[in-house]
Amino acid sequence: MTGEPDLAEDRRRLAEAQGRVVAALVAGAAVPAGFDPERMRVQASSLIAKRRGIVARLRPDAAAAAGADLAAEFAAYARSRSAPPPGYRADADDFAAWLRERGRMPDPPRKPRWWSRLLP
């Protein structure tokens, strides 16, 4: 039983270290000691490109609104967040809202209320 506290402490330190690596990859945090900054930058860029591609497939209207600036706009959007939202659909919707806030995308058309069909 004497090894259990050490194991718990090791797990805690490992979780903290993993959190620093993830933060460097997805949130622009400082690169942890022992990691090649250039490789981390390349991997972070790759992850942003993957997210951008999925977001563009889920929200082609947002991709079209960003136009030729899609890569730069999505990179700026990703840097403005401390972490990606939970799930690609939320990421896509957040990106569309981010574009809308900057005047790059029109507001979505209002859907008629169900009861409006009943009005003469």
Side-chain angles (χ1 to χ4, degrees), residues 21-38:
V21 170
V22 170
L25 289 172
V26 300
V31 175
F35 287 87
D36 181 346
E38 180 61 15

Side-chain angles (χ1 to χ4, degrees), residues 38-120:
E38 180 61 15
R39 285 185 176 189
M40 291 289 283
R41 184 195 63 74
V42 168
Q43 186 61 40
S45 294
S46 175
L47 291 171
I48 287 175
K50 178 183 176 185
R51 283 174 57 201
R52 180 181 65 238
I54 293 170
V55 164
R57 283 192 297 280
L58 291 173
R59 290 294 304 259
D61 58 332
D69 297 331
L70 177 60
E73 289 285 353
F74 193 83
Y77 155 78
R79 282 192 307 271
S80 73
R81 305 272 187 275
S82 61
Y88 289 118
R89 177 64 62 188
D91 205 12
D93 292 342
D94 285 358
F95 178 58
W98 189 85
L99 287 172
R100 198 171 292 114
E101 290 168 4
R102 283 151 185 76
R104 296 287 312 259
M105 189 170 171
D107 288 334
R110 290 189 54 132
K111 293 181 181 178
R113 304 280 185 181
W114 67 268
W115 46 263
S116 65
R117 297 186 310 235
L118 304 175
L119 297 176

